[in-house]
Amino acid sequence: MKTRFKDFGIIIYIILLITIVITLILLYLKSQSNTRTNHQNIIKVEISHAHTFSQNIVGLMLKLDNKNPIQNAKKDANLRKSYNDLLSILSGKQYRYVFLLYIDKDNSFKYLADGSKEKSQRGEFQQKFRPFSDIWAKVLKTKAPAYQTQKEISELWITYLYPIIRDNKVEAILAIDISTKEYDTLLHTSSPLHHTILLMLVFIFIISLFIFFQAYLYFKQRRKTNIDPLTRLYNRNYLNSIAHTIDLDNSVIIMADIDHFKSVNDTYGHDAGDIVLPSSSKLVNTSKS
């Protein structure tokens, strides 16, 4: 009876460990899913802000020159300076780079204004800009705002492009490079939870390996105690362990005796007797089947 309860306890303990591991895995996957959802929501908010800022900037540019703000800025250095000052209002930790490019006759991009506060990072007027992705060509083609998350450019998270259209043609593009500040904040918020769950998973996994190994040794040892090492037949220990499950109405007890077995040991030695016993046990197993 004690063996029965011990076996049942080990099985319950293993099931409990498996349940805990599955629960932790589900929690980790859920936290990852929530992080991705939050990530997408933050991107939507950032794009919405960038779009609003772009509209406001273009509106202020029209107040400075309501006739042809792009073409006139090419001729007027003071107007370009006003544009630089206007863009520099946004330029900072969140919006890393804010600049305005015009499209020349051969569809090349050139700087018209740059809000970078550091002169070493500021694009000079008519300096050529080489696009680093297809998003620029996409804006020219669709004449609609677009954005792209950055993976290769350090300290940048999102690039937002806002086209300035005149006579149904993209005349210039306002570019806003959003820094990784918001993205890093998101990572710092979610990382501790991920790390905690991972540590718990590793700890439970190690404990589970230990428990499984101990259970394996236990059942292996119990099997040894229930089986005779010479004949490989179940012994009295096994009979005692299953006594509570035996239905006497459907059970048969066979007693087998080997005639003159003592004379075999006396004549040929115990090694010969150890050969006879397993051979006899095979006959018993054959007769059962």
Side-chain angles (χ1 to χ4, degrees), residues 45-230:
V45 171
E46 291 291 345
I47 294 306
S48 177
H49 289 169
H51 183 76
T52 301
F53 289 141
S54 298
Q55 288 180 323
N56 292 338
I57 288 173
V58 174
L60 292 173
M61 287 171 57
L62 289 173
K63 286 185 177 181
L64 292 172
D65 188 322
N66 60 3
K67 295 182 179 180
N68 197 334
I70 301 301
Q71 295 301 324
N72 290 338
K74 295 179 183 178
K75 307 171 185 177
D76 190 342
N78 291 327
L79 186 58
R80 291 196 301 273
K81 183 179 183 305
S82 297
Y83 289 175
N84 285 335
D85 295 339
L86 181 60
L87 298 181
S88 66
I89 296 174
L90 284 181
S91 183
K93 291 184 178 179
Q94 183 175 4
Y95 297 131
R96 183 84 179 183
Y97 305 110
V98 183
F99 52 97
L100 183 64
L101 304 178
Y102 71 90
I103 293 75
D104 62 11
K105 295 179 180 180
D106 59 354
N107 285 332
S108 297
F109 296 95
K110 292 184 178 180
Y111 279 92
L112 183 64
D114 193 334
S116 299
K117 293 181 172 61
E118 298 180 18
K119 290 185 178 181
S120 60
Q121 296 181 345
R122 183 180 301 172
E124 298 297 332
F125 173 58
Q126 290 188 335
Q127 178 181 335
K128 198 167 184 177
F129 176 85
R130 291 180 175 80
F132 47 83
S133 70
D134 296 334
I135 187 175
W136 297 83
K138 178 182 177 182
V139 172
L140 286 178
K141 183 178 180 180
T142 62
K143 303 174 185 177
Y147 75 91
Q148 181 180 48
T149 55
Q150 301 294 346
K151 297 180 180 179
E152 298 180 356
I153 303 178
S154 61
E155 300 184 350
L156 293 186
W157 180 24
I158 303 171
T159 294
Y160 178 78
L161 304 181
Y162 184 89
I164 299 175
I165 301 173
R166 183 179 177 84
D167 297 331
N168 200 32
K169 181 180 179 181
V170 178
E171 194 173 34
I173 293 179
L174 176 62
I176 299 178
D177 285 328
I178 303 173
S179 73
T180 57
K181 179 182 177 182
E182 296 292 336
Y183 183 68
D184 291 340
T185 301
L186 175 63
L187 288 181
H188 292 157
T189 302
S190 58
S191 291
L193 177 61
H194 294 165
H195 293 161
T196 301
I197 295 177
L198 281 175
L199 287 175
M200 292 176 66
L201 278 172
V202 172
F203 177 75
I204 295 296
F205 179 73
I206 294 174
I207 295 295
S208 300
L209 287 180
F210 179 76
I211 295 298
F212 286 135
F213 182 68
Q214 292 297 320
Y216 167 75
L217 293 179
Y218 166 75
F219 286 111
K220 184 178 180 180
Q221 183 60 35
R222 200 189 72 172
R223 179 175 175 80
K224 286 184 178 180
T225 60
N226 290 336
I227 296 179
D228 181 76
L230 182 61

Side-chain angles (χ1 to χ4, degrees), residues 17-30:
L17 280 175
I18 293 174
T19 302
I20 292 173
V21 170
I22 292 175
T23 302
L24 288 174
I25 291 175
L26 292 176
L27 283 174
Y28 179 77
L29 293 176
K30 182 64 177 177

